Amino acid sequence: MSDKIPIKVIPTDASGRKKIPEKVTIKPSHDTDVGIYPARSQIYVRAVKGTLETFRRLFGFIFLGIFALIPWLQYNNQQAILFDIPEQRFNLFAITLWPQDLTVLAYIFIVGAFALFFITTFAGRVWCGFMCPQTTWTYMYIWIEEKIEGSANKRMKLDQRKMDADKFIRKALKHTAWVAVALLTSLTFVGYFTPIDELFIDFFTFQTSFWISFWVLFFTFCTYGNAGWMREIMCIHMCPYARFQSAMFDKDTFTVAYDARRGEGRGPRSRKTTPEQREEKGLGDCIDCNLCVQVCPTGIDIRNGLQYECINCGACVDACNGVMDKMGYDKGLISFTSEHELNGGTTKIFRPKLIGYAVVLCVMVGLLGLDFALRKPLEVDIIRDRNSLYRETNEGLIENVYTLKVLNKSQTEQTYRIEVRGLVEAVFIGDQEVTVAGGEVFSLPISVATDAYNLEQAVTEISFYVSTVQNDGTLVEIEEPSKFLYR
Ligand code: SF4
Ligand code: SF4
């Protein structure tokens, strides 16, 4: 039984010359007893240039910029987007969502889920490759690693080297930079749940509460661990999306694939090899340079067909296109394509499953929009006094007692007028006007009375009408039904 770690050396590059590999997969020896869980192979991802990489970087910058800026936006002198969990309210610019507005949150989640289903059916796991925070942060961490420790080949050699001053400084610098990025990420993320300006000041002056400090350190640890150490393990072994994506794939889904009909038989050759010589040797377009494997963040070989580990990042597409360019072959040996296209057919864009997802998505977006449009910044709750059905006043009137709860769901103070409807000659005992601060609930005890002659039955259907005119002149009104009891 050997404890040695074998190193797989890839002997040729795109030009066919021998060179030191940029990526080496380190695996335990086959005859080592690894049990049912083999040790993880260290992946040294090689940097790649190309259209998709440029697009991902641009997209990553935009995404990071939005993520970092949103909690700093102000609206009505308060944080524009704030998920205030202790206060049980979510501020979304002019809208404040309360626990009662769970339907809105449910619609948002359903819209998100169907958007993901639609995109996955159409273009495979592009979410994973271009938008998922795990991928974005992993690429950012690899970029930092490369700036400090060098290319994939240098990183591999550095890891194999014994500890010396240079290695220690590089490792220390890298981990410090990773922790700094993780801390900033965590502070920004926690800033979505607590006022971010206070958070930054309090955290760096050691004044945050225990729980805030706990969450900041927890998310720092998660970011550092996931993007620095776990990387592809998250995508391959922990992300549930990787597992159920295949249920959404069909033969027309665009996904990264290798054109085996064009690429095989693979094999190295000189750039000067003529088409006749290739034909003689049975060579396809793949020169077996392994670049597509070296740039893959999950360490797979796309030439083995569609694999659940593939996150559709397109790095192998860029790498292979570069090789094809150098060799003078057509690009697209690895490309975003469909199974139908690979088999010589054409991709059917409009297909029942995709149309179905699109229809449900549109309906849910419509319902979400409607929910927002019809949403009233006011909620009223009437609770009847349960201790007595009714009582007689000194003036001989029949009186019912209620507690009116007025929830001002707007962000500014409002004055509400209260009326009772449906009762003849009703006498309102209590305040008919209340002023409630933005986001507050006001409980108002009120009594309603009338002469017994006006009551023809034991139960009279009545309603409480609450209205206000908002700062922008909009009338907001709610009529809440209740009962007036007698006998
Ligand atoms: S598919 Fe392209 S990048 Fe991969 S080994 Fe073949 S030629 Fe090289
Ligand atoms: S196979 Fe290609 S697209 Fe898939 S994860 Fe690897 S590099 Fe990205």
Side-chain angles (χ1 to χ4, degrees):
M1 201 178 288
S2 166
D3 288 334
K4 284 184 184 166
I5 299 169
I7 295 173
K8 183 186 171 193
V9 179
I10 299 150
T12 54
D13 69 3
S15 61
R17 285 180 308 216
K18 286 209 168 189
K19 64 173 294 204
I20 298 167
E22 282 284 344
K23 178 186 157 194
V24 170
T25 306
I26 301 171
K27 289 181 179 164
S29 169
H30 284 305
D31 53 2
T32 303
D33 182 14
V34 292
I36 52 170
Y37 300 111
R40 176 199 178 198
S41 304
Q42 174 71 41
I43 296 173
Y44 296 92
V45 182
R46 181 177 172 150
V48 65
K49 283 192 178 132
T51 319
L52 291 169
E53 178 59 19
T54 309
F55 178 73
R56 184 183 21 262
R57 282 195 183 196
L58 188 74
F59 206 84
F61 276 127
I62 295 171
F63 172 65
L64 279 175
I66 292 172
F67 168 73
L69 279 179
I70 278 181
W72 294 98
L73 296 178
Q74 294 283 311
Y75 187 87
N76 265 347
N77 292 326
Q78 56 182 355
Q79 199 165 314
I81 294 186
L82 181 67
F83 303 108
D84 195 338
I85 291 172
E87 294 289 323
Q88 298 188 353
R89 64 181 186 189
F90 296 165
N91 282 354
L92 298 168
F93 290 89
I95 298 167
T96 302
L97 297 179
W98 298 87
Q100 298 89 325
D101 299 315
L102 266 182
T103 47
V104 177
L105 286 180
Y107 282 137
I108 292 173
F109 282 124
I110 295 171
V111 165
F114 274 93
L116 198 61
F117 296 163
F118 177 80
I119 293 285
T120 308
T121 306
F122 181 66
R125 289 176 68 185
V126 280
W127 158 266
C128 300
F130 293 86
M131 290 177 75
C132 176
Q134 175 67 20
T135 308
T136 308
W137 262 259
T138 296
Y139 269 101
M140 194 181 355
Y141 272 49
I142 292 175
W143 181 83
I144 293 172
E145 196 168 53
E146 194 169 87
K147 291 290 160 218
I148 296 171
E149 293 184 353
S151 66
N153 186 39
K154 285 184 180 161
R155 298 203 297 274
M156 179 197 71
K157 284 182 174 175
L158 189 75
D159 281 354
Q160 289 169 345
R161 213 166 78 195
K162 278 194 179 146
M163 185 59 78
D164 54 27
D166 175 65
K167 181 172 177 176
F168 179 79
I169 291 169
R170 284 179 194 278
K171 291 285 174 194
L173 266 178
K174 178 181 86 172
H175 289 287
T176 308
W178 279 3
V179 170
V181 171
L183 181 61
L184 277 177
T185 304
S186 174
L187 281 168
T188 306
F189 182 68
V190 175
Y192 279 78
F193 300 89
T194 189
I196 195 163
D197 40 1
E198 291 168 25
L199 173 69
F200 265 76
I201 294 167
D202 289 353
F203 186 79
F204 288 111
T205 51
F206 307 105
Q207 290 179 56
T208 38
S209 66
F210 168 79
W211 283 111
I212 298 274
S213 307
F214 169 81
W215 288 118
V216 169
L217 295 178
F218 175 77
F219 288 118
T220 303
F221 175 75
C222 289
T223 310
Y224 171 76
N226 286 349
W229 295 92
M230 305 279 282
R231 295 191 178 172
E232 80 287 351
I233 292 179
M234 287 294 293
C235 310
I236 297 173
H237 300 293
M238 297 172 82
C239 177
Y241 179 49
R243 302 283 160 175
F244 68 79
Q245 54 153 337
S246 52
M248 286 168 256
F249 277 28
D250 57 33
K251 291 186 172 172
D252 293 298
T253 299
F254 285 108
T255 184
V256 172
Y258 166 72
D259 187 349
R261 294 195 310 171
R262 185 185 143 188
E264 302 299 317
R266 65 184 83 159
R269 83 288 310 258
S270 137
R271 253 188 280 191
K272 291 177 191 144
T273 308
T274 61
E276 293 74 33
Q277 288 169 323
R278 281 178 56 193
E279 203 173 322
E280 205 176 293
K281 292 181 186 169
L283 289 173
D285 281 357
C286 175
I287 66 167
D288 208 13
C289 62
N290 249 22
L291 269 182
C292 51
V293 186
Q294 293 168 24
V295 298
C296 178
T298 61
I300 59 167
D301 187 342
I302 193 66
R303 293 173 297 171
N304 296 337
L306 179 65
Q307 295 145 75
Y308 78 91
E309 293 97 333
C310 177
I311 58 167
N312 256 21
C313 68
C316 55
V317 176
D318 280 339
C320 192
N321 279 345
V323 175
M324 294 295 107
D325 243 5
K326 282 183 191 151
M327 295 300 291
Y329 302 162
D330 288 343
K331 288 182 182 177
L333 177 57
I334 301 176
S335 63
F336 274 90
T337 186
S338 69
E339 200 179 322
H340 270 152
E341 232 164 274
L342 275 180
N343 293 327
T346 48
T347 308
K348 199 173 163 197
I349 302 285
F350 298 104
R351 46 200 197 271
K353 189 155 84 168
L354 200 61
I355 293 171
Y357 284 141
V359 168
V360 177
L361 184 59
C362 290
V363 169
M364 294 318 293
V365 169
L367 285 175
L368 177 64
L370 205 67
D371 203 297
F372 269 116
L374 298 179
R375 200 177 155 276
K376 287 191 176 164
L378 165 67
E379 199 162 296
V380 174
D381 201 12
I382 313 274
I383 304 162
R384 270 191 51 83
D385 182 10
R386 296 191 195 282
N387 294 326
S388 64
L389 291 181
Y390 68 95
R391 67 179 177 222
E392 248 182 87
T393 64
N394 294 338
E395 292 81 28
L397 299 177
I398 304 301
E399 182 190 58
N400 277 209
V401 178
Y402 308 83
T403 302
L404 198 69
K405 288 196 174 194
V406 179
L407 167 59
N408 177 3
K409 289 163 86 177
S410 78
Q411 294 170 354
T412 49
E413 187 181 90
Q414 299 291 337
T415 299
Y416 298 98
R417 174 144 190 88
I418 303 156
E419 293 168 30
V420 63
R421 290 179 171 179
L423 201 60
V424 180
E425 293 176 352
V427 178
F428 196 100
I429 306 161
D431 290 334
Q432 273 197 279
E433 256 190 22
V434 286
T435 300
V436 187
E440 297 290 324
V441 187
F442 192 90
S443 278
L444 178 72
I446 50 174
S447 300
V448 177
T450 191
D451 198 303
Y453 289 113
N454 297 321
L455 302 166
E456 292 167 359
Q457 52 211 357
V459 180
T460 307
E461 301 290 337
I462 62 164
S463 65
F464 287 91
Y465 174 80
V466 183
S467 63
T468 185
V469 177
Q470 290 189 297
N471 298 345
D472 60 1
T474 321
L475 172 71
V476 177
E477 51 186 353
I478 280 191
E479 196 162 345
E480 196 63 24
S482 188
K483 291 184 186 341
F484 190 93
L485 304 184
Y486 177 48
R487 288 194 288 253

